[in-house]
Amino acid sequence: MALWKNQAALSSPLLSLYSRHTFLLVYSIAVTIIAIDPPMSERQAQELLQQADKRLNSWSWFGGGNKEEEAAELYEKAGNTFKLAQRWNDAGEAFTKAAQLFMKTSDTLYDASKAYESAAKCYKKNQPEMAISMLDSAIKIDKEGAHFRNAAKHHQEIAEIYESDLIDLQGAMYNWEQAATLHMADDQQAMVNKCLLKVAHFAAQLEQYDKAIENLETVATASADNQLTKWSIKEYFLKAGLCHLCTGDLVRTRQALDKYCNMDMSFENTREYKFLVGILECVDNGDVELFTQKVFEFDQLTKLDHWKTTILLRIKKSMDEEPSLL
């Protein structure tokens, strides 16, 4: 077969035994057989499904024993085998059947959660909504079992699906919030901060600036006494300051900058603080040209990411749209 797949084989000496037409005909038949005959892994998966169905529907004078758990394990094996054949929907369905059976026994609830998680990974390939549904089922089990870290991880996975696959920023933000709450219950402050920063990120994109500011300030406060994270405070204050400028309330923005300097005595000497003060004056004076220059100069020293660039463009746009008093 490898020889036939190589077009160079069409000029091979072996063709002296066959006409070109005969060779192509044989090749076509072989390809058709391969297409009709499913891969071995797929056949094995179907056989495992049949075994699971048979075990589940079996009956004995001596009771059913652990037939549901055994059937669930067979469904899991079928799911993994379907994955080898890249039959993602079939794999997801098999894992879902396994999870539903594991749910029937309190001793296997953890297995049910893991099965729903496996189903979600399969459905994520081409059915993101189904993936979210599976993860929601896993979250419910994990929360009831006080497995808060696992539940938080699943919320994060849902958030990423909303962001990347469904382009639903509101859904992404909500699930990052839920993840933060669960990490807080599990006393994982570093993960709480990570999630709240994500909430702030999406809140600002959705023009919910007060929400973004609140979460950025919360993370900054939590980071102040941590030697590993206190160096990031100026970044959080910068983002919060930009969100304040987006609200158009310059008085409140000045008050916020004063508060940030009190929270961190070194902030007043940072490039971020001087940049915020500079563009605040530009906004107050309606000087779009100087605003653009200051943004350019800051970007030369500290590269602006996409999020900051977007927020700065919104601030600039608000300056352009302000009615002239002249």
Side-chain angles (χ1 to χ4, degrees):
M1 289 299 297
L3 180 63
W4 292 355
K5 290 181 180 178
N6 191 340
Q7 292 185 0
L10 294 176
S11 60
S12 169
L14 291 173
L15 291 182
S16 61
L17 299 176
Y18 306 99
S19 68
R20 182 183 180 86
H21 175 75
T22 303
F23 176 85
L24 293 175
L25 178 62
V26 172
Y27 175 75
S28 176
I29 293 171
V31 171
T32 302
I33 291 173
I34 292 172
I36 293 174
D37 188 29
M40 182 175 294
S41 56
E42 186 177 336
R43 292 201 307 271
Q44 290 173 338
Q46 294 291 353
E47 291 170 2
L48 286 166
L49 286 180
Q50 292 173 6
Q51 292 175 30
D53 292 339
K54 184 177 179 180
R55 183 70 187 97
L56 190 60
N57 296 318
S58 63
W59 184 84
S60 170
W61 286 102
F62 305 102
N66 294 323
K67 69 175 186 179
E68 290 176 341
E69 185 176 344
E70 291 171 4
E73 291 173 354
L74 287 168
Y75 281 128
E76 276 194 316
K77 290 180 180 178
N80 285 319
T81 310
F82 273 128
K83 284 169 65 176
L84 290 174
Q86 297 188 358
R87 294 289 298 270
W88 303 112
N89 289 346
D90 290 332
E93 185 176 345
F95 283 122
T96 302
K97 288 181 178 179
Q100 290 168 345
L101 290 175
F102 282 134
M103 284 282 291
K104 294 186 177 182
T105 306
S106 60
D107 293 340
T108 56
L109 288 178
Y110 178 77
D111 297 297
S113 173
K114 298 302 290 184
Y116 276 127
E117 182 181 343
S118 296
K121 290 178 180 177
C122 296
Y123 282 127
K124 188 177 183 295
K125 300 290 183 179
N126 46 36
Q127 292 191 66
E129 293 89 351
M130 280 295 293
I132 289 173
S133 177
M134 295 298 101
L135 288 170
D136 277 333
S137 296
I139 288 169
K140 183 177 179 181
I141 297 169
D142 290 332
K143 289 172 72 174
E144 289 177 354
H147 300 135
F148 300 131
R149 190 176 304 185
N150 283 342
K153 184 187 76 169
H154 295 325
H155 270 299
Q156 291 173 220
E157 290 166 348
I158 293 175
E160 289 167 358
I161 292 173
Y162 273 121
E163 178 185 3
S164 303
D165 297 304
L166 300 179
I167 320 300
D168 181 346
L169 301 188
Q170 188 69 45
M173 182 176 70
Y174 171 79
N175 278 280
W176 281 115
E177 281 186 292
Q178 295 301 307
T181 300
L182 288 164
H183 280 306
M184 194 175 298
D186 199 43
D187 197 24
Q188 296 291 315
Q189 188 60 49
M191 293 304 300
V192 172
N193 291 348
K194 175 185 175 180
C195 295
L196 292 181
L197 288 174
K198 282 287 191 176
V199 173
H201 177 89
F202 291 115
Q205 285 186 294
L206 293 166
E207 300 184 19
Q208 299 177 22
Y209 299 116
D210 287 338
K211 188 185 191 79
I213 292 165
E214 178 184 355
N215 283 281
L216 287 163
E217 291 181 353
T218 297
V219 175
T221 301
S223 303
D225 296 326
N226 188 318
Q227 294 298 318
L228 296 176
T229 58
K230 70 177 185 178
W231 305 109
S232 299
I233 291 178
K234 62 182 181 181
E235 172 77 1
Y236 308 147
F237 287 160
L238 171 60
K239 289 183 175 181
L242 293 176
C243 289
H244 271 293
L245 284 168
C246 280
T247 67
D249 189 339
L250 303 187
V251 173
R252 187 178 168 209
T253 301
R254 287 192 174 88
Q255 291 172 344
L257 293 182
D258 289 340
K259 180 175 74 172
Y260 300 158
C261 289
N262 290 329
M263 290 174 65
D264 179 9
M265 302 300 290
S266 65
F267 181 60
E268 191 172 2
N269 297 319
T270 64
R271 185 181 299 118
E272 287 77 8
Y273 172 78
K274 293 173 182 177
F275 174 62
L276 285 171
V277 170
I279 61 174
L280 171 59
E281 294 305 316
C282 293
V283 172
D284 197 14
N285 296 325
D287 194 334
V288 176
E289 184 176 346
L290 184 57
F291 177 90
T292 304
Q293 180 183 334
K294 287 188 175 296
V295 171
F296 174 78
E297 291 172 352
F298 184 82
D299 184 54
Q300 293 297 105
L301 296 172
T302 306
K303 195 66 179 177
L304 293 167
D305 58 28
H306 177 73
W307 185 91
K308 296 189 191 78
T309 300
T310 300
I311 299 301
L312 285 163
L313 285 172
R314 290 180 185 176
I315 297 169
K316 182 175 182 291
K317 184 179 178 182
S318 69
M319 295 170 65
D320 291 332
E321 292 175 350
E322 285 183 3
S324 175
L325 298 177
L326 298 178

